[in-house]
Amino acid sequence: MRCPFCKSTNSRVVDSREADEGQAIRRRRACTDCGRRFTTVETAVLAVLKRSGVTEPFSREKVIRGVRSACQGRDVTDDDLHLLSQQVEDAVRATGVAEIPSHDIGLAILGPLRDLDEVAYLRFASVYRSFSSADDFEKEIEHMRQQRAGETKPAPAKN
């Protein structure tokens, strides 16, 4: 870590604390050359493996953009979308893997989105799971009704 004042690479950690609800570590450092103190924040990089084989960093903003079109015209606020993206990131990080397939990100979106707005969920699921007919919608709606009634059967697989 370079000192922002003298650019020296010699520093020592004075204090470490969790930040961002345990998703980052805040470190207070002291430069051994100039003696000045500075703060760094370290986060673990979560990489998303795309179908093409390319990896890119996980982005909450990308999750929000992907879900926003499904929520168009619905009573869903920006705060709701930010909370949903946080829930998705938390779920993905909880898997404990550093590189997660983009397909799994989509799966992580479905649950919180269904809880947020059922119509937006159906819109998103129809694209994500490639619904090809009204029957696919009917099956998904029936599955949602069963879940609401307490019957938990596995979700219909459509991929």
Side-chain angles (χ1 to χ4, degrees):
M1 182 60 52
R2 290 193 182 277
C3 171
F5 306 106
C6 71
K7 308 299 181 216
S8 170
T9 57
N10 301 320
S11 67
R12 63 182 177 85
V13 175
V14 177
D15 182 42
S16 292
R17 296 180 186 204
E18 282 188 7
D20 195 20
E21 298 176 4
Q23 299 300 317
I25 297 175
R26 178 190 163 275
R27 297 198 194 278
R28 192 73 180 139
R29 296 177 177 270
C31 178
T32 55
D33 290 347
C34 72
R36 296 181 76 181
R37 290 185 174 203
F38 59 97
T39 302
T40 60
V41 178
E42 300 172 17
T43 58
V45 175
L46 178 62
V48 177
L49 178 62
K50 310 287 273 180
R51 284 185 219 152
S52 65
V54 174
T55 59
E56 62 181 45
F58 176 84
S59 166
R60 287 186 198 171
E61 288 305 314
K62 212 165 178 185
V63 169
I64 291 170
R65 279 195 311 270
V67 173
R68 182 170 270 133
S69 59
C71 295
Q72 194 168 11
R74 304 296 301 157
D75 189 24
V76 176
T77 66
D78 283 344
D79 287 342
D80 293 334
L81 293 178
H82 285 282
L83 179 60
L84 180 136
S85 69
Q86 176 66 50
Q87 291 171 326
V88 170
E89 182 175 3
D90 290 347
V92 169
R93 285 191 184 275
T95 64
V97 296
E99 190 173 271
I100 189 153
S102 59
H103 177 76
D104 292 355
I105 303 287
L107 291 175
I109 290 171
L110 290 173
L113 184 56
R114 184 179 50 235
D115 295 340
L116 178 62
D117 187 277
E118 289 181 339
V119 172
Y121 165 79
L122 283 171
R123 289 174 178 172
F124 186 86
S126 71
V127 173
Y128 184 73
R129 292 186 174 156
S130 304
F131 287 5
S132 58
S133 68
D135 290 339
D136 293 334
F137 280 96
E138 288 176 2
K139 288 176 189 171
E140 189 63 34
I141 290 169
E142 182 57 34
H143 176 70
M144 290 168 62
R145 286 183 179 140
Q146 289 172 353
Q147 280 188 325
R148 207 181 299 141
E151 300 173 26
T152 54
K153 294 180 183 174
K158 178 69 180 173
N159 274 350

